């Protein structure tokens, strides 16, 4: 059974710092991996989607990489800002017949960026 | 932009009541999903639907049912609400299986 892990569970950094959030998964037979942001009490906002054939995706100050063989993904945030404070979740869709297309989530990393 | 809306942001119900949570998407997506999110347990799939009138159980379907009479609307039904169904409920949709999923704002349900 696929397990998705995000370490650390919480992270506090000063404004302006570049940072990396980690995501690991136990079964490399994934179809894609998606990073989300969740603000307190709110829904999920999709940040980046990486297909299994891709190595990385970029959007603005965000860069996500995928190493399927080692079961790891990282989300790089450049020049962090207080507005980046949120919980970041990674999730995978499995790549085999009968996959429901549903996301399997990690428990998230709660990021706090201090002014 | 894709828009997924949920009928209520906050809902308070009593044990034993029948509860309907509605989700609507405006992008003609084939797939729709219902997840619940609990502290320490993360997000878990309750049900999903890949077409009108089609549904499949997820990881935790007990105590829930769903309805998809129109492509844009996916309803989650708690037949007889219980306190252990107090949770944040999130609806999502995607164009096809494995495509990017878009989430609604969530419904915070409290069952007293």
């Amino acid at each position: 059974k696929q397990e998705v892990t995000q370490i650390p569970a919480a992270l506090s950094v000063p404004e302006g710092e570049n940072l990396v959030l980690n995501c690991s998964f136990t079964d490399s037979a994934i179809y894609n991996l998606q990073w989300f942001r969740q603000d307190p009490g709110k829904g999920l906002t999709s940040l980046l989607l990486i297909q299994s054939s891709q190595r990385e995706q970029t959007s603005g100050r965000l860069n996500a990489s995928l190493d399927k063989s080692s079961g790891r993904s990282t989300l790089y945030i450049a020049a962090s800002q207080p507005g980046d404070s949120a919980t970041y979740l990674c999730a995978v869709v499995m790549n085999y017949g009968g996959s429901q297309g549903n996301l399997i989530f990690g428990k998230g990393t709660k990021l706090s960026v201090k002014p | 932009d894709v828009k997924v809306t949920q009928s209520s942001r906050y809902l308070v119900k009593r044990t034993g009541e029948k509860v309907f949570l509605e989700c609507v998407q405006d992008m003609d997506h084939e797939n729709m999903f219902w997840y619940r999110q609990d502290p320490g347990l993360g997000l878990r799939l309750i049900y999903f639907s890949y077409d009108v009138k089609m549904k499949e159980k997820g990881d935790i379907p007990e105590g829930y049912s769903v309805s998809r009479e129109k492509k844009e609307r996916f309803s989650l039904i708690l037949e007889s609400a219980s306190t252990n169904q107090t949770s944040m409920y999130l609806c999502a949709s995607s164009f096809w299986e494995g495509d990017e999923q878009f989430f609604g704002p969530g419904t915070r349900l409290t069952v007293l």
Side-chain angles (χ1 to χ4, degrees):
Chain A
K1 183 183 174 183
Q2 177 72 277
E3 291 186 7
V4 181
T5 303
Q6 293 184 249
I7 295 173
L11 182 64
S12 182
V13 300
E15 182 177 3
E17 191 163 297
N18 301 327
L19 59 100
V20 173
L21 305 181
N22 297 297
C23 173
S24 62
F25 44 94
T26 55
D27 186 341
S28 62
I30 65 169
Y31 190 84
N32 64 41
L33 183 145
Q34 200 167 347
W35 281 94
F36 295 91
R37 169 192 173 128
Q38 185 175 32
D39 293 291
K42 302 286 179 64
L44 277 64
T45 300
S46 178
L47 297 174
L48 290 163
L49 171 73
I50 311 178
Q51 301 292 350
S52 62
S53 58
Q54 297 176 316
R55 297 284 296 183
E56 64 179 88
Q57 282 284 350
T58 298
S59 176
R61 293 184 294 110
L62 305 179
N63 176 277
S65 68
L66 175 64
D67 184 343
K68 205 173 70 161
S69 61
S70 67
R72 286 191 287 191
S73 177
T74 61
L75 179 67
Y76 175 82
I77 303 177
S80 59
Q81 303 169 359
D84 295 330
S85 297
T87 296
Y88 291 81
L89 295 152
C90 75
V92 300
V93 173
M94 298 309 295
N95 183 26
Y96 45 72
S99 168
Q100 300 168 329
N102 62 289
L103 292 161
I104 302 169
F105 284 88
K107 291 188 169 62
T109 294
K110 186 175 182 179
L111 174 66
S112 177
V113 181
K114 305 292 186 186
Chain B
D1 280 351
V2 175
K3 191 161 187 184
V4 181
T5 58
Q6 296 184 228
S7 50
S8 304
R9 289 300 315 279
Y10 300 95
L11 210 51
V12 180
K13 296 292 182 181
R14 297 212 173 269
T15 302
E17 279 193 77
K18 190 169 186 176
V19 181
F20 293 86
L21 303 183
E22 302 280 330
C23 175
V24 177
Q25 49 92 7
D26 67 356
M27 281 300 291
D28 202 34
H29 282 176
E30 302 288 332
N31 297 286
M32 297 187 75
F33 306 83
W34 276 106
Y35 298 87
R36 66 176 279 178
Q37 184 177 29
D38 301 287
L41 296 176
L43 281 97
R44 295 174 292 168
L45 180 70
I46 305 171
Y47 266 98
F48 83 105
S49 169
Y50 53 90
D51 201 352
V52 175
K53 297 191 186 295
M54 306 304 288
K55 60 186 180 184
E56 291 286 344
K57 293 180 180 179
D59 298 322
I60 50 165
E62 297 78 20
Y64 304 94
S65 63
V66 290
S67 171
R68 194 167 180 200
E69 296 296 320
K70 292 185 178 181
K71 192 174 186 179
E72 67 271 18
R73 189 180 298 269
F74 191 35
S75 302
L76 181 69
I77 303 157
L78 287 65
E79 296 289 342
S80 178
S82 64
T83 55
N84 63 12
Q85 292 178 311
T86 292
S87 187
M88 172 71 126
Y89 290 88
L90 292 158
C91 174
S93 71
S94 66
F95 188 65
W96 55 275
E97 195 173 286
D99 196 14
E100 185 175 8
Q101 287 192 25
F102 295 90
F103 280 76
T107 296
R108 171 78 63 187
L109 172 66
T110 301
V111 182
L112 302 176

